[in-house]
Every structure is written in structure tokens, then in C-alpha cells.
Amino acid sequence: MMQYYEMCTRELWFAAHDVDIDRENRHIMRGTRVDKQSYAENSESIQIHGTIAPDLLDDGRIVEVKPSSGSSGGRLQLLYYLWYFKHKLGIDTTGVLAVPRERTRETVELTPDAEDRVETALHEIRAIIKRDTPPAFEKKPYCGSCAYRDFCQI
């Protein structure tokens, strides 16, 4: 939900209301393939409390794998995982935002400002989800590759 929130609140609403995405969308398949191919030795699915599913854990750090650095939602998603570990599990840890195709790994820490950002996002996500209708369409640079594009006015 954090990634949807960061990228497109309309997409967030659709996902929260069980409007399923096109799993055959080449962009969705690419992201899944990058996760599986890049960290095949750690490819077990990790799910915590049925609520969060980090891509993998590495020496106590949470690693979030993204197909490109252009995905702004990946950072907020990782910050949410760090927030969740701290506030729900009592574990302080750091994270790594990994982009295998670009051969980058960036350490991400949960600073007080980042905690505020996550908590604001959680509040706003709840408000969006409670709406009876999705937020208005806003043209974004990645609309053409969105799995929900058929629900919008492109």
C-alpha cells in the first residue's frame, strides 16, 4: 500500500478494494522476475503477521528489491517495513534498497523525519481506502505502464 500511495493514490484505492491487477502486465512480470532472479538463494517468501512481506532479510537488515531506481515508492515501502519492525515487533534495524539491474544497494535508516513521513502516509492511506470512490485521475509519467491503466482516462 505504501508503494501505491507514493506512486498513485487511485491505484492504491483500486488495490485496497480488491480490484486485481493484470498479472500478465509486462511491467508487473519484470518486477517479479527481478526479485526472483537477483536473489534466488534467498527467494523464500517472508510474511510477517500476514501484513508485510519484505523481499528478503539479510544479516538482520530488510532488503527491498526494485527493478529500477525510478520507483519512488520503494523507499517509502522500505521505511514502512523499518517502522513496522520497530513499533510492532520491537526490533530496530536498517534496510537496503537494492536495484540489481543498476548494481546499486543503498542503506536506508528510520530517522525521526522518516518515522513522521510513514505515520503521515498511514493516516492518509486509511482516509483514501475509506472513500466510496477512487481519487480523481491524475496523469503520471508511468500511467502507460500501469496495470490499472484501463480504469483511468489515458
Side-chain angles (χ1 to χ4, degrees):
M1 295 293 171
M2 285 291 175
Q3 182 160 329
Y4 288 143
Y5 168 77
E6 188 77 1
M7 303 287 285
C8 176
T9 56
R10 187 172 173 87
E11 187 177 16
L12 165 65
W13 189 92
F14 288 135
H17 287 86
D18 297 321
V19 177
D20 201 11
I21 60 174
D22 174 9
R23 298 280 173 199
E24 300 301 314
N25 177 296
R26 65 186 174 97
H27 300 285
I28 300 301
M29 292 173 67
R30 179 178 141 222
T32 302
R33 191 173 49 251
V34 167
D35 283 355
K36 289 181 180 175
Q37 289 175 351
S38 300
Y39 295 93
E41 70 279 0
N42 296 327
S43 63
E44 285 186 35
S45 177
I46 301 165
Q47 197 167 53
I48 300 166
H49 292 164
T51 305
I52 66 169
D55 290 334
L56 58 106
L57 300 175
D58 181 20
D59 294 330
R61 298 178 302 164
I62 302 167
V63 180
E64 182 61 23
V65 181
K66 293 297 169 197
S68 76
S69 57
S71 172
S72 62
R75 175 178 303 287
L76 186 58
Q77 186 174 342
L78 179 55
L79 288 171
Y80 172 68
Y81 292 155
L82 296 172
W83 179 92
Y84 190 94
F85 268 60
K86 179 179 179 180
H87 293 278
K88 302 294 184 183
L89 304 176
I91 300 169
D92 278 320
T93 188
T94 59
V96 176
L97 189 56
V99 185
R101 290 182 167 199
E102 297 173 14
R103 299 182 189 263
T104 61
R105 289 174 61 91
E106 176 188 349
T107 299
V108 176
E109 294 185 12
L110 187 65
T111 64
D113 285 343
E115 283 190 61
D116 289 344
R117 183 174 177 213
V118 168
E119 290 166 4
T120 297
L122 286 169
H123 175 74
E124 291 176 4
I125 286 168
R126 285 186 202 104
I128 291 165
I129 290 171
K130 286 181 182 178
R131 293 176 57 146
D132 291 332
T133 59
F137 169 74
E138 291 180 40
K139 179 74 174 155
K140 309 257 178 163
Y142 34 80
C143 287
S145 63
C146 176
Y148 290 98
R149 70 181 172 278
D150 293 338
F151 294 97
C152 299
Q153 308 162 358
I154 296 178

